[in-house]
């Protein structure tokens, strides 16, 4: 009986010890970055209305900037074409003048007389061949001269159209800037921000673009490496570049919600705290980490297709730069514990 009781007591102690280890393991798992406890910085947004307004304004800015830059490039190419065509026509002016003078001096009657005055059939054929060759050379020269002038005229007309297109995009950009300012002002923000910039930030690998410089449309087709959801190829590129640049703190991308880019696979939240998403403002080394990460995304915004970045009560958009972001709430809501990245 004593032996049996001793065995039972030992077994019971082992069960308690195993249970304690299990509880400890569960607690560590829940506290570990990447767990469900840290995968969703709840209360992140400033509300659906603000999120939708900022998304629309940022997309409008990005689109206007892309079209404006494309138009400027086309205008630059057209200006080169004008210069080349005018130079080509200028080089042919002397030859065209010679042709005109010769045509004036010879005329049709003189040409016929020259042929009829041939002293032999051989001389007649030789003169016919010379005249034919001259006509071919003259025709080719005049055609090239006319083509160069025509190309210059067309390019100049196209330049005028590009100037009008640029003015259109500048107007569109101004409108979207105003929309962004009004949206931010509705929550007490919108003033100029000090920003987070670092000229020493490394360069990221550029995401693929269309041949005209625009961004291809992408769906949520890639398995999200940070959650069980999906993300776009462009967001994956941004995520991988940030990791390669040394930003190794915990990240959460896809998230189910009723607004914003997270449920579309176009946004990630990058924890500032080394231990994961902690609902308190980052300080010291953690805040410096967030500053450097935000600056990294801004320096590479054109390479990564950045739509906007939010960090430490400031928001960056492609057409406005850093502005105050004054949503109310906890550290997640005002983005003082994580850097939010949205891509086009």
């Amino acid at each position: 009986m004593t032996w049996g009781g001793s065995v039972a007591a030992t077994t019971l102690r082992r069960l308690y010890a195993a249970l304690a280890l299990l509880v400890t393991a569960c607690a560590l798992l829940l506290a570990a970055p990447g767990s469900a406890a840290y995968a969703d910085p709840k209360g992140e947004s400033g509300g659906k209305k603000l999120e939708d307004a900022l998304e629309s304004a940022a997309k409008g800015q990005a689109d206007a900037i892309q079209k404006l830059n494309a138009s400027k490039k086309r205008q630059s190419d057209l200006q080169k074409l004008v210069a080349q065509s005018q130079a080509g026509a200028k080089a042919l002016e002397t030859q065209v003048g010679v042709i005109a003078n010769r045509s004036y001096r010879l005329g049709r009657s003189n040409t016929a007389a020259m042929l009829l005055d041939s002293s032999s059939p051989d001389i007649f054929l030789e003169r016919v061949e010379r005249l034919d060759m001259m006509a071919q050379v003259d025709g080719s020269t005049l055609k090239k001269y006319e083509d160069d002038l025509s190309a210059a005229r067309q390019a100049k007309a196209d330049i005028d159209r590009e100037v009008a297109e640029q003015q259109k995009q500048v107007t569109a950009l101004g409108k979207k800037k105003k929309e962004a300012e009004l949206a931010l002002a509705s929550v007490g923000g919108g003033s100029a921000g000090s920003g987070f910039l670092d000229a020493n930030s490394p360069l990221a690998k550029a995401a693929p673009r269309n041949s005209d410089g625009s961004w291809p449309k992408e769906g949520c087709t890639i398995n999200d490496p940070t959650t069980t959801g999906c993300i776009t190829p462009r967001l994956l590129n941004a995520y991988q570049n940030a990791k390669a640049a040394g930003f190794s703190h915990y990240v959460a991308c896809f998230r189910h919600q009723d607004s914003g880019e997270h449920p579309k696979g176009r946004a990630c939240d990058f924890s500032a705290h080394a231990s994961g998403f902690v609902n308190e403002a980052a300080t010291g080394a953690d805040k410096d980490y967030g500053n450097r990460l935000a600056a990294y995304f801004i320096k590479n915004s054109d390479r990564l297709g950045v739509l906007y970045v939010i960090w430490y009560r400031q928001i960056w958009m492609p057409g406005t730069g850093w502005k105050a972001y004054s949503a109310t709430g906890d550290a997640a809501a005002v983005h003082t514990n994580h850097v939010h990245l949205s891509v086009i």
Side-chain angles (χ1 to χ4, degrees):
M1 185 70 177
T2 302
W3 179 84
S6 176
V7 172
T10 301
T11 302
L12 188 59
R13 283 196 299 272
R14 288 177 177 173
L15 286 174
Y16 279 133
L19 182 60
L21 287 173
L22 180 61
V23 170
T24 302
C26 289
L28 290 173
L29 180 62
L30 289 173
S35 69
Y38 290 96
D40 185 358
K42 294 187 181 299
E44 178 202 33
S45 76
K48 185 177 187 306
K49 184 176 180 181
L50 175 61
E51 259 192 355
D52 289 346
L54 290 178
E55 180 182 356
S56 173
K59 285 181 178 177
Q61 291 177 40
D63 183 58
I65 290 172
Q66 184 274 316
K67 290 180 179 178
L68 179 62
N69 290 338
S71 180
K72 287 180 177 179
K73 183 181 184 304
R74 289 194 298 269
Q75 181 178 345
S76 177
D77 292 341
L78 287 167
Q79 288 171 336
K80 292 177 183 177
L81 178 58
V82 169
Q84 291 172 355
S85 299
Q86 289 178 334
K90 183 70 175 176
L92 292 172
E93 283 183 358
T94 300
Q95 296 181 52
V96 171
V98 170
I99 293 171
N101 288 333
R102 184 167 61 243
S103 298
Y104 176 77
R105 283 186 289 101
L106 292 178
R108 289 189 177 182
S109 58
N110 287 344
T111 300
M114 180 181 67
L115 292 174
L116 294 173
D117 190 42
S118 301
S119 58
S120 71
D122 290 338
I123 293 176
F124 178 84
L125 288 175
E126 181 184 348
R127 289 181 177 179
V128 168
E129 288 174 354
R130 286 181 181 177
L131 288 173
D132 182 61
M133 185 176 298
M134 287 173 57
Q136 290 182 33
V137 172
D138 291 351
S140 176
T141 300
L142 292 174
K143 177 84 167 53
K144 180 66 170 62
Y145 182 71
E146 182 182 354
D147 288 346
D148 285 340
L149 291 178
S150 178
R153 285 193 297 269
Q154 183 61 51
K156 286 180 179 179
D158 291 341
I159 287 175
D160 291 340
R161 281 192 288 273
E162 291 302 337
V163 170
E165 171 64 19
Q166 288 166 32
Q167 184 56 53
K168 175 183 173 183
Q169 296 308 325
V170 168
T171 300
L173 180 58
K175 179 181 178 182
K176 289 301 179 180
K177 282 183 179 180
K178 186 66 176 177
E179 289 179 7
E181 290 169 358
L182 290 173
L184 291 170
S186 69
V187 293
S191 58
S194 56
F196 305 96
L197 304 171
D198 185 357
N200 295 319
S201 290
L203 291 178
K205 179 182 177 182
R209 288 179 181 261
N210 294 320
S211 58
D212 63 355
S214 62
W215 294 106
K217 292 183 178 180
E218 294 182 345
C220 197
T221 58
I222 303 294
N223 288 334
D224 181 5
T226 70
T227 71
T228 57
C230 61
I231 58 176
T232 66
R234 196 151 43 243
L235 183 61
L236 178 64
N237 179 68
Y239 166 81
Q240 291 175 333
N241 270 278
K243 288 290 186 182
F247 297 102
S248 57
H249 290 186
Y250 176 62
V251 183
C253 299
F254 180 87
R255 183 165 67 247
H256 291 288
Q257 59 187 48
D258 62 354
S259 62
E261 286 81 30
H262 283 292
K264 301 172 185 175
R266 295 204 299 258
C268 286
D269 291 327
F270 294 76
S271 171
H273 297 85
S275 57
F277 279 121
V278 179
N279 201 18
E280 61 184 34
T283 59
D286 291 337
K287 186 173 187 295
D288 179 66
Y289 177 92
N291 292 348
R292 289 186 293 107
L293 178 57
Y296 171 78
F297 286 137
I298 301 315
K299 181 172 181 177
N300 291 288
S301 59
D302 191 54
R303 290 171 172 265
L304 301 177
V306 173
L307 187 61
Y308 61 81
V309 175
I310 310 177
W311 166 240
Y312 233 86
R313 295 182 180 275
Q314 293 189 54
I315 181 172
W316 181 93
M317 284 179 279
T320 58
W322 285 104
K323 295 286 185 180
Y325 181 83
S326 300
T328 58
D330 58 13
V334 297
H335 295 75
T336 55
N337 69 344
H338 71 280
V339 177
H340 173 96
L341 169 71
S342 287
V343 299
I344 297 171

